[in-house]
Amino acid sequence: MADLSPRRIAGFIEPFRVTPGSKVKLPRDFDPGSGVGRAKASLAKEVLSEGIDLLAEYQARLAAQDTYGVLVVLQAMDAAGKDGTIRHVMSGVNPQGVSVHGFKVPSATELDHDYLWRYARQLPARGQIGIFNRSYYEEVLVVRVHPKILAGQRMPAKSKRGDVWRRRFREINDWERYLTDNGFRIVKLFLNVSKEEQRRRFLARIDEPEKNWKFSANDAKERAFWDDYQKAFADVLSNTSTEWAPWYVIPADDKPFARVAAAGVIANALIEIDPQYPKVSTEARDALAMAKVGLEAEAPAGALPDPVEAELTEKATRKSRKTKTKSRKRKSGK
Ligand code: AMP
Ligand code: MG
């Protein structure tokens, strides 16, 4: 078990949380550069080294308990680091417990359904962590920035009139509340990159041949809508950060820091869920003890009756020695 205390993680991520009901302006309220150079600061370093272990451990418990699910929603401008964040944050977890889905321009079949349909189909099961690389929030971002996309959605004319966005915010909030009430925790991350850092990363994608594949002419076209996107994002943050599914705005100009911060927010959600391994009944425990006696009796000459038990005792002793040394060092300020 990692030594990082839940309180320290909660404190670390608090500045990124969008207070439900607050009115957000970008970039006024969240500086994309506030993480620059901070990945090496002591608390971030601790979250980096232990957060990934912590995620792996909690994910194992989440799967074993099979009661709660977690949906991680990742939204950002292009080149903000969504892919790298997913790769890094999930590096330690069991791939069987995780699913990642990216959402692109909807297909004809998808457009033949209500706008949440294609996202609902990819929700994680209980015991799973699902990651949405882009999500239903595109329906109030790209669709809002480009009105012709909404015009092309096959809804009745009535559904396109009035304040479509306010209505969609309400529908999304209701849907997220429904999922939360049913045991699915929604963790929403906005990787907040600055316009200048995006310019630099686009240039890297152009200048470095092995990155060329990541760049499309369309990316430059979308960049021209930067201000519209910032406004749309600010409105999303102002209207859909709720007590049950708050947004976290991750300063993303510094990649290492953004990854630590994202790991911290996801770890915090799992800590709050606090999934437990299922309790073994007395009968099952008795059966285990009986089986153990049988296996020990089978030990060949010269072998320990239970080599695993010996290893576990040795490991526990080593761990308690390490913890003691650490706390001694902390006390003496080294
Ligand atoms: P990428 O994730 O960079 O490979 O690009 C996916 C593209 O699909 C982005 O340009 C998104 O804006 C676009 N996209 C995702 N969801 C939707 C949607 N619901 N309607 C229209 N375009 C979308
Ligand atoms: Mg792209």
Side-chain angles (χ1 to χ4, degrees), residues 78 103-106 118-119 134 138-139 142-143 149 218:
D78 282 318
F103 294 96
K104 314 246 175 212
V105 177
R118 67 170 182 155
Y119 308 99
R134 301 186 189 273
E138 291 293 333
E139 307 291 339
V142 68
V143 180
I149 302 180
N218 193 53

Side-chain angles (χ1 to χ4, degrees), residues 138-184:
E138 291 293 333
E139 307 291 339
V140 283
L141 290 163
V142 68
V143 180
R144 186 175 192 180
V145 169
H146 299 289
K148 70 171 189 308
I149 302 180
L150 184 71
Q153 295 193 345
R154 296 196 199 127
M155 298 179 296
K158 199 172 87 181
S159 308
K160 295 183 190 176
R161 279 199 296 268
D163 198 336
V164 177
W165 314 115
R166 217 97 338 229
R167 202 161 63 228
R168 286 195 171 187
F169 291 151
R170 172 175 57 74
E171 288 158 355
I172 287 172
N173 287 340
D174 287 349
W175 193 53
E176 290 182 341
R177 179 156 205 166
Y178 158 80
L179 291 171
T180 309
D181 284 346
N182 284 278
F184 294 92

Side-chain angles (χ1 to χ4, degrees), residues 51-57 59-60 86-95 98:
I52 303 290
D53 289 350
L54 209 129
L55 272 177
E57 182 189 318
Q59 189 241 349
I86 295 172
R87 202 163 359 109
H88 178 84
V89 169
M90 289 299 144
S91 59
V93 308
N94 180 350
V98 186

Side-chain angles (χ1 to χ4, degrees), residues 78-79 82 134 205 214 216 219:
D78 282 318
K82 292 198 291 340
R134 301 186 189 273
R205 290 176 178 192
K214 284 192 191 175
S216 82
D219 292 345

